[in-house]
Amino acid sequence: MTKNVTNLGTRSSAIAIAQEGSDLKAVKLERKGEAFEVLWTKSGEVSDGDWGTFAAECGLSTESTRHRKSRGDNVAVAGFGSTGVGFYRVGLPAARKDEIPAMVRLQAETLLPLPTEQMEMSWRAGQVRNGEMPVTIAAARREPLAGFLENIRCFEPENILLDCEGIVKAWRSLFSGDARDAVVVSLAERSTQVCLAEDGRLSNAVVLDIGTEDFCDTGQNPLLSADSDLLEQTVTTERFAQDMRSVLESFGYVDTARLPIFVLSDGGSAIESIVSYLRSSGLNVTATLADSRKLVGQTELGVEQVYQYRVPIGLALMALDDMAGLNIFERVYNPAAAEEKRSILYSPKVAVAIVAIMLVVLGIVSYALDIKSEKHLSALQAQAGFKDATQRQMLIKTVARQRPDLLELLSEINSGDNKGILLDSLHFKKGRPVTIRGQAPGNDQLYKFEENLLTKKGVKDVKTLSAAPDSKTKKIKFTMTFHYKTYTKRSGRSQVGGLERP
């Protein structure tokens, strides 16, 4: 559950867009050896969730997928706000990798506020400690996810990442963070993200409805306001400190003084004053500044600018490093670029995987065939005159010819222009039609795929048994059968080595 939507590999540049309050912020980073260069930064006010105009200003095509040019070595990612995401921490006994998903689902059913079919979730397992494996579960209701997808479908980013993961990545890369257990605090104008990082990765997060605006009075130092506002400011800072203690306890840290807390800072007096108060309340708090020297190139960013764009910078760094995030959009978002990469028609990795599955099926078929053939071999060997090794070799070749070449079959399905067709499964059993299941972008592509199959060598009698739109993906899910050479048709009698068998 920690894989990305797409298997991006290493890219040379990345554009990341994230929303903070009523503003959209974006950066473009380029890899320069071991360093990164900020090519540009952009910000703009979002109007009714219209990401399309802003994406176009960032150089991202908002045309339909069919007319869109390839992004080449560039990758675009979007940040999803963590406000609507719930994080849960569970401890599981050490188990085999294939047993973990079922265990997580059982735990999620008891923790989530709604039935699992009304939510989307993702999880990530941590390092086993004292025989227990910590697991982070991120979950969100489907409705907010659907609304966000409507905003970003115009430019179809290759990946959607949680903004709190971008904060942890920025802390590690630019704010001198390390792999120890720590809390990373990111203050915005109207909210505060409190992120727990363990082993350098996000493991829990909470969004507080208090931000820098609550501490400030016309830009003055929040702790040195006029007398009339001093009491209100004191109440605000005390509430903030109490909220922080409650969050740390929810993270499982009762002794809040021992856990280091790093507040990302822009170097201004407002954040420094907040940090000073939290420290005086008994919390182990440190303000941490960005090291802008880690970002090279002509576009030089100061400490304040790095802080301003910390979220999209962190997301872009994740994309360039191909870091797997908690992907709660995995089941509901399949960008066209990802579909082409994952399509059986265009992905060697998937083709190899399907070949492996088919070879397992072939092994079962071959095993049954070999048992029957071995019986005939034994019977023939018992007959007088069957001592010649040449005759035995001819029999083995005859048996081999009765087995289909599934690599050849895959090659036939793979050839031609079948963009957008994704195969979910292929089933072959001797004497029965080959059955394939998959999805198509629309009916036109499905008809074209069926027509193309009829032109393949050895493929006959192609039939579409079912084709219906999926309510989630809006794709056409189909089941199709066809005969392949002589392997899929039953015959009353067959021969092996010159002997008839039913």
Side-chain angles (χ1 to χ4, degrees):
M1 293 294 294
T2 60
K3 63 184 179 180
N4 287 348
V5 173
T6 57
N7 187 10
L8 300 175
T10 301
R11 299 295 186 95
S12 61
S13 63
I15 297 175
I17 303 177
Q19 184 172 351
E20 182 179 306
S22 60
D23 294 330
L24 287 172
K25 298 178 179 180
V27 299
K28 182 174 183 179
L29 293 188
E30 186 173 79
R31 190 186 299 275
K32 294 290 186 180
E34 297 298 322
F36 300 94
E37 178 182 359
V38 179
L39 299 181
W40 50 253
T41 63
K42 293 183 184 295
S43 63
E45 187 173 343
V46 61
S47 175
D48 298 325
D50 180 18
W51 288 51
T53 302
F54 186 74
E57 292 175 356
C58 295
L60 297 173
S61 174
T62 56
E63 297 180 353
S64 63
T65 305
R66 179 177 300 179
H67 300 95
R68 184 176 302 160
K69 294 181 179 180
S70 171
R71 289 173 180 151
D73 290 335
N74 298 317
V75 55
V77 296
F80 181 70
S82 304
T83 304
V85 180
F87 291 87
Y88 306 88
R89 291 280 287 172
V90 297
L92 301 178
R96 297 198 314 269
K97 188 176 181 180
D98 59 340
E99 296 175 338
I100 299 175
M103 298 169 68
V104 172
R105 283 194 296 270
L106 287 174
Q107 290 284 341
E109 289 177 357
T110 63
L111 294 172
L112 299 183
L114 296 173
T116 53
E117 59 268 17
Q118 298 180 27
M119 304 191 74
E120 294 296 331
M121 56 172 280
S122 182
W123 57 269
R124 177 163 57 213
Q127 298 294 327
V128 177
R129 299 177 180 176
N130 300 322
E132 186 177 274
M133 178 176 55
V135 175
T136 295
I137 301 174
R141 293 169 53 246
R142 287 184 175 177
E143 288 80 358
L145 302 187
F148 183 79
L149 290 178
E150 288 301 316
N151 291 337
I152 56 93
R153 282 195 188 279
C154 54
F155 67 97
E156 286 190 338
E158 280 83 351
N159 210 347
I160 302 174
L161 302 170
L162 299 180
D163 60 357
C164 53
E165 293 211 89
I167 289 172
V168 173
K169 178 61 175 177
W171 170 67
R172 287 291 310 275
S173 303
L174 301 176
F175 289 81
S176 303
D178 49 37
R180 65 178 138 169
D181 295 353
V183 168
V184 183
V185 178
S186 177
L187 286 154
E189 290 184 354
R190 298 180 181 87
S191 64
T192 298
Q193 288 183 303
V194 186
C195 307
L196 176 63
E198 295 180 325
D199 299 321
R201 300 190 304 176
L202 177 78
S203 62
N204 210 334
V206 171
V207 179
L208 301 177
D209 60 348
I210 186 172
T212 54
E213 281 189 351
D214 296 286
F215 297 94
C216 298
D217 180 28
T218 63
Q220 298 181 44
N221 187 310
L223 301 182
L224 298 176
S225 303
D227 292 340
S228 59
D229 295 326
L230 183 58
L231 178 60
E232 181 180 350
Q233 294 294 332
T234 302
V235 171
T236 300
T237 51
E238 288 182 352
R239 180 168 65 90
F240 185 51
Q242 183 57 44
D243 287 346
M244 286 295 300
R245 291 191 190 92
S246 298
V247 170
L248 298 183
E249 290 176 4
S250 72
F251 288 167
Y253 291 88
V254 179
D255 187 359
T256 56
R258 297 184 58 185
L259 184 66
I261 302 172
F262 296 95
V263 179
L264 305 186
S265 176
D266 58 359
S269 60
I271 292 181
E272 288 295 331
S273 297
I274 296 170
V275 169
S276 177
Y277 181 84
L278 291 176
R279 189 183 300 119
S280 66
S281 67
L283 297 175
N284 183 11
V285 184
T286 303
T288 178
L289 297 171
D291 184 356
S292 58
R293 295 172 300 178
K294 294 182 178 180
L295 297 173
V296 301
Q298 297 179 352
T299 304
E300 295 184 1
L301 298 183
V303 171
E304 187 175 354
Q305 288 178 298
V306 174
Y307 179 83
Q308 182 183 358
Y309 289 94
R310 63 198 179 282
V311 175
I313 288 176
L315 297 176
L317 290 172
M318 288 182 66
L320 289 176
D321 288 345
D322 198 20
M323 286 184 60
L326 288 164
N327 183 14
I328 60 176
F329 288 86
E330 184 173 5
R331 297 197 307 167
V332 295
Y333 180 64
N334 290 303
E339 288 182 1
E340 288 188 8
K341 286 181 177 296
R342 299 192 316 186
S343 172
I344 183 175
L345 304 175
Y346 296 92
S347 174
K349 292 184 178 180
V350 175
V352 170
I354 292 180
V355 169
I357 294 172
M358 291 194 296
L359 289 179
V360 171
V361 177
L362 175 61
I364 297 172
V365 176
S366 301
Y367 176 73
L369 182 60
D370 286 347
I371 290 177
K372 294 181 180 180
S373 301
E374 189 63 32
K375 291 180 179 179
H376 287 281
L377 281 172
S378 300
L380 287 170
Q381 285 178 317
Q383 296 177 9
F386 194 81
K387 304 294 184 181
D388 190 346
T390 302
Q391 288 182 282
R392 180 182 176 88
Q393 188 65 27
M394 289 177 60
L395 176 60
I396 292 174
K397 290 182 179 180
T398 302
V399 171
R401 283 195 296 269
Q402 296 190 24
R403 302 173 183 171
D405 186 344
L406 293 184
L407 289 176
E408 180 184 11
L409 174 59
L410 177 64
S411 177
E412 289 298 324
I413 297 176
N414 190 38
S415 61
D417 182 12
N418 296 307
K419 289 184 178 179
I421 299 296
L422 291 170
L423 290 189
D424 298 326
S425 65
L426 184 150
H427 179 75
F428 168 81
K429 187 174 182 180
K430 188 172 176 63
R432 297 182 183 179
V434 176
T435 301
I436 56 176
R437 293 181 175 85
Q439 54 183 304
N443 287 318
D444 292 342
Q445 290 88 343
L446 179 59
Y447 296 148
K448 186 174 181 180
F449 177 61
E450 183 176 349
E451 292 175 354
N452 285 344
L453 273 181
L454 286 169
T455 65
K456 307 304 179 186
K457 180 181 179 181
V459 175
K460 301 177 182 178
D461 301 331
V462 178
K463 296 180 180 179
T464 301
L465 301 184
S466 64
D470 185 88
S471 59
K472 298 177 183 177
T473 64
K474 308 302 181 184
K475 307 288 186 181
I476 304 297
K477 302 199 74 172
F478 65 87
T479 301
M480 193 176 293
T481 64
F482 58 86
H483 285 287
Y484 183 57
K485 295 186 177 180
T486 60
Y487 304 116
T488 58
K489 292 188 176 181
R490 292 181 179 273
S491 58
R493 308 178 69 86
S494 61
Q495 290 186 335
V496 176
L499 295 180
E500 290 187 353
R501 61 184 174 96

